[in-house]
Amino acid sequence: MGLTKTEIFTAEQNQLATLLKAMAHPARIAILQRILKSDTCICGDLVEELGLAQATISQHLKELKNAGIIQGTIEGVSVCYCIHPENWKTMESLVSGFLNSYKGIDSCC
């Protein structure tokens, strides 16, 4: 397997890629939408709401947490997740900066 050569890209490019990769699955988008909708920590109701297996949800939560998009706390036997506010703002800034860099060129292709 080849190397991705991430060191040749800027820190911002690598960070944006990591965040977007973590979000690049419909189940993860659904999880984030559920967390955003509830505006609170989500503990165990994702399995029922999304109709996915617990192991599948756990894997998606792990990916979102590893990317820093969500944060979790352990309460007894359950883990509760919520949006990581600082990282969410950073992601919002990076994504909007990237998308807003398009100038709307009319004479292309």
Side-chain angles (χ1 to χ4, degrees):
M1 181 185 280
L3 299 174
T4 60
K5 296 187 179 185
T6 56
E7 70 277 356
I8 68 171
F9 302 104
T10 67
E12 183 177 300
Q13 289 167 332
N14 281 307
Q15 186 177 22
L16 183 58
T18 297
L19 292 168
L20 293 175
K21 182 180 177 184
M23 292 182 60
H25 192 287
R28 295 181 197 153
I29 297 295
I31 288 168
L32 290 170
Q33 287 174 326
R34 176 63 185 96
I35 293 172
L36 290 166
K37 182 180 176 184
S38 70
D39 200 29
T40 186
C41 289
I42 300 292
C43 292
D45 50 355
L46 288 171
V47 172
E48 219 173 90
E49 289 194 31
L50 298 179
L52 298 171
Q54 178 63 54
T56 302
I57 298 240
S58 293
Q59 184 60 40
H60 288 303
L61 288 167
K62 178 182 173 187
E63 293 295 326
L64 291 169
K65 188 173 182 186
N66 286 344
I69 298 171
I70 62 173
Q71 57 190 0
T73 58
I74 299 171
E75 297 177 8
V77 294
S78 67
V79 180
C80 296
Y81 292 96
C82 60
I83 297 295
H84 189 294
E86 297 86 18
N87 292 348
W88 190 265
K89 288 290 184 192
T90 299
M91 182 175 61
E92 182 180 33
S93 175
L94 288 171
V95 171
S96 82
F98 174 68
L99 294 176
N100 290 332
S101 67
Y102 175 65
K103 307 286 189 254
I105 301 168
D106 291 332
S107 60
C108 179
C109 304

